[in-house]
Every structure is written in C-alpha cells, then in structure tokens.
Amino acid sequence: MRAVDIIIKKRDKKELTSQEIEFFIQGFTNGDIPDYQASSFAMAIFLNGMTHLETTALTLAMAKSGQTLDLSGIVKIAVDKHSSGGVGDKTSISVMPIVAACGLPVGKMSGHGLGFSGGTLDKLESIPGFRADLSTDEFKMQLKEKGIVLTGQSLDLAPADGKLYALRDVTGTVPSMPLIASSIISKKIAAGAQAIVLDVKVGLGAFMQTLDEARELADLMVSIGNLAGRKITALLSDMNQPLGCAVGNALETVEAIELLRGRAPKDYYEHCMHVAAHVLVLGERAKDLSEGRAMAEKSIADGDALEKLRVLVQAQSGDAEYVDDTSKFARAKYVEVVPAPRSGFISQVHARLVGEAAVALGAGRAKKDDAIDYAVGFLIHKKVGDKVEAGEPLFEIHANDEAKLADARAAVLLAYAFSSEFVPPLPLFYE
Amino acid sequence: MRAVDIIIKKRDKKELTSQEIEFFIQGFTNGDIPDYQASSFAMAIFLNGMTHLETTALTLAMAKSGQTLDLSGIVKIAVDKHSSGGVGDKTSISVMPIVAACGLPVGKMSGHGLGFSGGTLDKLESIPGFRADLSTDEFKMQLKEKGIVLTGQSLDLAPADGKLYALRDVTGTVPSMPLIASSIISKKIAAGAQAIVLDVKVGLGAFMQTLDEARELADLMVSIGNLAGRKITALLSDMNQPLGCAVGNALETVEAIELLRGRAPKDYYEHCMHVAAHVLVLGERAKDLSEGRAMAEKSIADGDALEKLRVLVQAQSGDAEYVDDTSKFARAKYVEVVPAPRSGFISQVHARLVGEAAVALGAGRAKKDDAIDYAVGFLIHKKVGDKVEAGEPLFEIHANDEAKLADARAAVLLAYAFSSEFVPPLPLFYE
C-alpha cells in the first residue's frame, strides 16, 4: 500500500477501505507518511467528502493512534458530555455534579481554552489549588471512589488527531464535516466513552454558524458514533449570544456554583436541566427525559449536587470553601456597570464579539502559552428579547486595567443591537 | 498576505490574483512556504481548476523563480520546439539542423529521459564526445556563431517548477491541466523562448491518452503562452505507436541522421517536415507552411541540413564522422529479427509497452542515476495498417544480454495486435 495511491483514490472520489484509512493514519502518526502527503489528503477529503463508513474508519483509526482509557470495571457505562464550544458555556461544571449526585459516575478529560471560546479547566482553576493534572491512576481511583472527576488529558489520546489538526489549521482544511466529526469522536472514544451526549452549538459564537451545518455535523457524529458501537445523542443549542450571564473564568464558575443552589439565569438553568436529563437517560439512570429532569432538579433542591461539586473540588486539592462562599473568588480591580445607550428590545448580543472582548481583557488565550486572568470578564444583564430603558444596566465589565476596560466597553456595546419592535427571545435548543 | 488564505481562496473556488500566486510561488521557492502548504494548494488546484489568467500568472511566477536566459541581441526571434514526450521521438535531432540550415538560428536546452519516454540528450550522447553540458556563455556563443545549439540546462531554470513537480509526484497532483501547462511553458519562458512550437503527443505512449485531453492541454498552453506575450503553435500528433522505426538511443540518432539524407521512414519524415514548417513560419523565415515545407525539403536535398548537424556535433566536441558513417555507432551484441506470428493487418503497436521494453533492455532509466546502454533498442518494421504475412520480419531487437533479449521479444510481441480485417494507418497529426 502506498500513501500516494490512497490520496489519488480520494482525489478521484472513490470510497476508501478501512484498511487504507488505517494505513494512512498509522503512517502519519509514526512519521512514515510526511505532512505534505497528509495535507494533500486532507484537501482531497475537504473537497470530495467522505462517506459515513469512511468517516467511522477515520475516527477509529485516530482513536487507536495512541493511548486509550478503559473504564470498564470502574463504571457500568462510561458516559461523556461534549460541547462543541461557545461563550459563557460553563455547563460541565454544573451538570457533572448533578448527574453524579443522581448516582451516575462521570469522569471527563477536558481541555484548556484557546481563542474566544473558553475552556472548562481554566474556569475550575479559578479555584485556588484545583489540580487538573491528575494521572490516569488518580483519574480511575477518584472516579471509583468519588463518582466524579474532571481533569486534563494525562494520556496521549488520539495523537493522530492532534497532529492532523495542527496541519489542517495551516493548510485550509479545518471546516470539513468528516474531519471535524472524526476529530471530536476519536478523542471521546480514546477516552473510553461508551455513551456520549453531544451539545452542538450553533450561531454567531459557535464553530457552526448555521442550523443546517450544525444539524449535518450532529447527524454525522451520531451516525459514526453508532457505527463505532457507541450510544450517542446530539443536541443543537443556541450560541448566538453567550449562555447565561457570566463570561470569564471566575465569574462563570460562580454562576455554575449558584446554579447548584437553584440561583441561576433561567436560560442557563434550562440548558443544564436538559443536558443533565439526556446524560441520565443515556447513562441508564433515568428511563426518560422527564424522569431525568426530575432527578436533576431534586439533586439541586436536596443540596446533593452542590455536595458533589465540593467533593470534586476537594478531591482535586481545590479550596472547597470557594464553593460555599463565592465572595472568596478573585475579584477584578475595576467593575463597571454599563447602561443601555437607548431604549428598546435587545435583538443581538453577538457571542463571538463578547468572547473576543473577554480574551482581550485577559480571560482567555490568543496564543497557547498566554497567562490567564481569572477575575476578568463580563456579566451580561440583558439578552436577546429583553426590553430595556435607556440608562438601565446593560452589562457589567470586570477588568484589571483601565485601558482594557475602555476597549471592552466599546467592544461589547458593538456586540449589542437594539430594535424598536418586539424581538422574541432566542430558543435554547433547536429541534 | 498569508499562504493559508490563498489556499482557502482556491479551495473555495475563487479566482486568485497574480499577486497572490506570485506570493505563493516566491515563498515556496525560497522555503518560506512549506511543502505541506504547497501540496494542499496543489490538490485544491487539481480539484477546483484554474482560469487561464491564473494559469498564466502561475506560469510567469514559476518562470521567474530562478535564473532566466535572455537571447535578444543574439537571435532575432528565439524559437523553441517542445514535444510532450513519446517513444521513438527523435524529431529535434532532425528538425533543428533543418531549420538552422534554412537560416533560422535555434538554441535549445533539452533534458535526459526518465521512464519509457526517451530524452534527446541521451540520443545525441550516443555520439562519442558529444557534450551536453555547455555553459550559458558557450550556449550563447555557439548560437551566435553556428546558429545551432542543443544542450542540457546550465541554468537553474524555473526551480519552483522542479520543486513543485517533485511534490506533485508524491501527493497525487500530477495530472492537472493548469499544473502541467504551467510547468511546460514556465521552463520555455525561463529559457528565453519568444516563439514556441508545441508538439502535444496523444495516445497509448503519451501522457495525454485521449484526443480531448490533449486538445484541452494544447489549447490551454496556447492561451497562456499568448497571455504571456509569446507566439505559440500547438500540434497534436499521434503517439499510439512509436514514431518512425527506431526506438533506442543510437538507433534513433541514426534514423534522425538518415532523414537528413532523405532516407527515413515515411511517417517520421512527414512528421519532421510538418514540425519544421511550423517552426519556420513562427520564426518568420517562411511566410506560410507550404513555403516552410519547401525550404525544409530543399535543405535536405542540398545537404545543408546534414551539414548543420555536422556543425552542431563538432561544435559540441562530438565525433562528426558518426554523422557521415553511421556504421560507427555502437552496435548491440545480439540482433534478432522477430517474424510475424500470424498473417493479417497490424492494428496496434502499443507505444508505451515498446518504450517500457526498451527501458528494460537498458535504453532508458527507471531511476534518475541509472546508466544507459546506447546500442540497445528496437527497429519496428511493421506498423499500424501494414499488411503482414506470417514469418515476415515484424521487428528487430538489439540487445546486449540474452535474458533481456528474450524478455524484450515477449514484451514487444504483446505490444502488437493483429486483425484479419483491413486496418487504416494511424494519422500523424490530429486536426
């Protein structure tokens, strides 16, 4: 088998066998197949597409390109929840304690953020001491003993995916459905997931800008997940505006904690209940969504979910007092409430612009090694569909630098759009 | 400007500007743009194509990626003749002395052969002493003084093309019209050509297998040549069977010399007259093709063309006695005449199979550094349309090794096909 013949076959729109795909991915991973062949292959895939069977073969080949995590024997069903990334998306920090409190153990390897879309680990690291660098043994032990764990990758999961992604980024082959879908699912499979709830974001602050694209990606991931023998549910959720109010690491973690006390913005609460119900059903703890939702709500009312978060934070060396007293979180030097410049209905809070403004404040990384300022960010008081009077609080800036504060004010004001006519609120989920 | 944005633009089927194409080729040539971006770009070009304007920009960018030859001041019009390569194609060795004898100076940088399609320099090097490594100054001097020169590349002509071709070869992006056309024309322009006669071969022994493909390539090259300000004529000639009778370096050189004495196979003679007439017209020595042809025929009848070949060989240190006494050429140890296995009409002499059999005998190179055996090859006595009786001489093998001779016999017999019905001869030119 020769790499060039596999490239030519895809170039000529023929379907590749799983042997051919595995040969290519293995060779690429171990360096036998050079980058210039992989990039030409990626462009051929980009332009000619892949069948679901080919995409499944690609996913499995990447999943087994490195180490894999085996959670059988530790949990009955290894469930995972994956969001395609957005602004203000702190869902995992609320949902994992909820489902764990409902008796479904959950262990998740998550990532740090890059660009305008935040990372769950960065948010949790706003709690002093919190360790996101557990070893694989620590991961398994904690999952077994505490029923909850959320850490960074200790294993070299799906290295082919990492290598291919780096190449795609500089060769114009990122936005390809089969490449995106296989990238996401391969990492989940390598991390041992048997059942996965996918939260595919759609809108201005998401990778998928249109519902059609998001639906196509969701359907593809469900299809290849099933072909690979995994249970998968895909949700399509709105990411035109930030989720909830908080954007920024400490602010978001506080909002996630407040949810576990029953005090959260309504959109974020509804989002979490829906995702939690799906995870509980897929993990076979609830027989249907309404039972799952009732269990999730009860775990909050009883304080069990909050207790699970305490357990998580403590188990990973974080200061659990932060869970009970959120005033302990780092607070920015400057907090400014920005009033509405006019009256009317909010018709847009452009998620991507808000996310980029948060990165500019220091909440995220433009480059991989940038330091993060946990305290900075925004509280978005008014969202799409809200009626405001001129002068009412529109949003709040938390900044540690006056010049950056001024920039952020201008940027977020630009993210807003107003209408004199009634504007309906955005849906939380599509379909 | 960023390379990845240029790749994305082509990926998305948008037309690139000449600035973008030049940026990419310059960066690729000097190493700023890595191979993995160039191969992804090449695949995007392969699958999405290029307009004639884009292809012209690519051609000019590659032409000026290295050194260039300027022949103005030495010749009135720098003419070149380029064949897309085939089996038994010794045309340059006959045509260049003819047109030079007609008063049109011609200087050509040619190449060695690789694979089943022979190289003009290898053929001439079957004359002992013949130097194909003239310096640029020697090239110019000889062109000025003798009016004829045929040597290898002394300059680093169009290095971007060489680099890109090596990459295309291993990334599945060779058979792309804009990439092939720009590769050919860029080298001609870098070598100083102002007027070019292109002999595009079509058929079983050519790169272009169908007339449609060959016509598309020819039209594209004429179009980009004209857009680049050059005079171009493209001919489409048959390469289903070898041209003439001789295949193999010394055998072909002898056939080319014999043509200048008026003793050549009819197809090869007609081919040369047609090409020479076009070169004389494009070089403004003849007002039309019939005048060009008459001049060419006269140059043979007068012995002027043969004298020009003597001048060429002598000027480049070759033994000119070979021109007058072709029995001096190296002769193979074994010469076997193979009889026709049956009676009937010849319906095929598969050019590629004959070419590959010649390489196997030692006449060509499978790899770049293989040595060449000048003496070996074939004389193809019967060609498509000929009527043969079983036992009549079909072809002749010249070999230096008995085992190779047996292989060659089997291989060339397989290249032949017979019909009981009348078969018309193949055309020499199409359209």
Side-chain angles (χ1 to χ4, degrees), chain B residues 221-232:
Chain B
M221 290 195 292
V222 169
S223 172
I224 63 176
N226 289 337
L227 285 168
R230 268 69 179 180
K231 287 165 69 179
I232 296 211

Side-chain angles (χ1 to χ4, degrees), chain A residues 248-303:
Chain A
N249 299 289
L251 295 170
E252 289 189 47
T253 304
V254 170
E255 190 165 84
I257 295 169
E258 290 297 316
L259 180 135
L260 300 181
R261 289 209 176 81
R263 296 192 300 241
K266 192 166 179 333
D267 66 333
Y268 178 54
Y269 179 81
E270 284 301 319
H271 181 86
C272 288
M273 290 302 108
H274 194 67
V275 172
H278 274 284
V279 174
L280 288 166
V281 168
L282 215 63
E284 298 179 10
R285 284 297 298 170
K287 66 176 192 302
D288 58 27
L289 289 179
S290 66
E291 186 182 79
R293 177 163 183 137
M295 288 169 75
E297 289 184 333
K298 188 166 180 301
S299 79
I300 293 177
D302 292 352

